[in-house]
Amino acid sequence: MTGKEPFDNFPISSKADAVKPFIVMDVMEQAQDMERRGEHIIHLEVGEPDFDTPAPVVEAAIRALRDGRTHYTHSMGLLELRYAIAEHYLDKYGVDISPDQIIISNGTSPALGMIFNTLVSPGDEVIMTDPHYACYPNFVLFADGVPRFVPVSEQLGFQYDADAVAEAVNPRTRAILCNSPSNPGGTVIPSPTLEKLAGLGVPLVSDEIYHGLDYNGNAHSALEFTDNAFVINGFSKLYAMTGWRVGYLIAPKRYIRTMQKLHQNFSISANAFVQWAAISALRECAEHTAKMASIYNERRVAMLSALDRMGLKPPVEPTGAFYVFVNFRHVDGDSLRLALDILEKARVACTPGIDFGANGEGFIRFCYANSLDNIEEGMRRLRAYLEQRGALHGARDL
Ligand SMILES: Cc1ncc(COP(=O)(O)O)c(C=O)c1O
């Protein structure tokens, strides 16, 4: 042993090495260091439900384990779960899909990988908003594709202007990626926009992971507007099941065999007992999800009202997911520096907008998947911080 790492100079894949880190992790790690030193931090950075998974889902998983549901399943997933998903899309959106258009995956994340690796050959383009969910470009780049960013503004709630998308479409375009309710914007794509995007002759990849967390009840599935859509959805957010790792994709039949081959090779199948539990989520948890959604909504209203009193309410009200994306360009154009300063001085952890693309720079994302008390305390601390910086323009009295 020389004390040196073995193969010190042996190359690492340039493609893997080029994957960007999630900057919010730096904020989170710094927050954890401060907590270890005894500081009290309000966490408004992580995009994860604070609720426990509903009891019927936990019971179904335990039952499945006791019943020996511990083997590989069909590579596309349990037929029973695929039927339950088809039924859910029929009940909720009136769209008729068949179980053999569905593949169950370990969360929606691998589903994104399957879709882009199926649609994209080297150099092909995928249109996405800027700002966008941080991982999207990495999936496209890893499939040797090119993310084609369409800047979106806070005046349109960070959703597409359909004309700008039409201009970006070219012969290399393989998909238009949309996300509604969105991360980081927390907004729902208006139906006329979705309808126009569906008419551009390019497949839509619609990330519907925050469906059910749309507090005005106006989120629509892309499948209501076109059959030429790839939907991804899952159980992480609405059912508070992030750690269970279960999601799915719905695709036009002609692509399924290709994606099934990818899934067989790279995952074999999703976890068996978790798939049984997911059936219970769809069939037995309507009351639980309604309760959680109504609590998120109360928190949303509280956070927006506090931001409004600081003159920081976004021009388009975020009505979905659990995020508010706030413009701080008048305070500091460098969102990472600002997030770290807010953490250090106000002891509030939040996500720098730069994590979500160049056009998110100068914004900060706050997540309201936290208790009302913590949200109110977090907003009080933020106000005091801004006051101290002399940056409380347009604020009203508490
Ligand atoms: C927009 C969006 N899509 C997909 C995901 C990934 O979800 P999953 O836990 O199903 O992999 C997230 C997680 O934060 C997300 O915000």
Side-chain angles (χ1 to χ4, degrees), residues 5 44 98 139 206 212 264 294 325 332:
E5 286 268 328
L44 302 178
S98 112
F139 280 108
S206 177
Q264 284 173 339
S294 112
F325 203 48
D332 191 340

Side-chain angles (χ1 to χ4, degrees), residues 15-254:
K15 196 160 110 178
D17 206 33
V19 173
K20 288 205 184 113
F22 208 178
I23 302 171
V24 68
M25 301 314 283
D26 294 342
V27 178
M28 225 170 79
E29 281 155 22
Q30 189 145 330
Q32 286 161 351
D33 279 349
M34 290 169 73
E35 279 169 330
R36 272 192 289 276
R37 294 198 301 269
E39 304 249 27
H40 179 261
I41 309 292
I42 303 280
H43 287 275
L44 302 178
E45 80 280 36
V46 188
E48 163 163 68
D50 58 324
F51 295 107
D52 289 332
T53 300
V57 178
V58 176
E59 290 306 319
I62 293 170
R63 217 169 33 243
L65 284 169
R66 292 221 164 97
D67 290 347
R69 312 283 196 189
T70 54
H71 301 272
Y72 295 135
T73 67
H74 188 290
S75 60
M76 288 170 64
L78 291 174
L79 192 56
E80 291 86 340
L81 175 55
R82 288 185 281 136
Y83 267 113
I85 291 165
E87 209 174 272
H88 173 70
Y89 266 76
L90 184 63
D91 287 352
K92 190 150 186 205
Y93 307 104
V95 297
D96 198 3
I97 50 167
S98 112
D100 44 278
Q101 287 178 262
I102 299 170
I103 298 179
I104 312 297
S105 51
N106 299 94
T108 59
S109 307
L112 280 165
M114 272 188 272
I115 291 171
F116 292 129
N117 279 291
T118 297
L119 287 176
V120 169
S121 293
D124 287 343
E125 296 185 4
V126 173
I127 291 176
M128 63 184 72
T129 59
D130 181 6
H132 47 72
Y133 170 53
C135 303
Y136 288 153
N138 294 329
F139 280 108
V140 174
L141 290 165
F142 221 67
D144 294 326
V146 179
R148 173 77 184 246
F149 299 113
V150 171
V152 290
S153 68
E154 60 176 339
Q155 282 70 29
L156 288 185
F158 308 100
Q159 292 288 358
Y160 288 119
D161 167 355
D163 294 334
V165 178
E167 269 176 43
V169 170
N170 68 66
R172 296 307 300 259
T173 309
R174 292 294 172 269
I176 299 165
L177 174 54
C178 40
N179 174 215
S180 163
S182 66
N183 178 8
T187 56
V188 173
I189 193 165
S191 292
T193 308
L194 197 48
E195 192 170 4
K196 279 191 201 159
L197 297 180
L200 293 176
V202 176
L204 289 186
V205 175
S206 177
D207 181 347
E208 302 184 356
I209 182 118
Y210 290 105
H211 273 224
L213 299 176
D214 50 306
Y215 309 105
N216 290 347
N218 56 353
H220 287 272
S221 172
L223 291 166
E224 293 173 63
F225 300 95
T226 176
D227 293 333
N228 194 18
F230 293 72
V231 164
I232 62 158
N233 202 336
F235 297 85
S236 290
K237 311 292 177 173
L238 179 61
Y239 301 96
M241 288 173 66
T242 42
W244 295 67
R245 308 312 302 134
V246 60
Y248 55 90
L249 63 81
I250 305 170
K253 275 192 191 146
R254 70 174 276 250

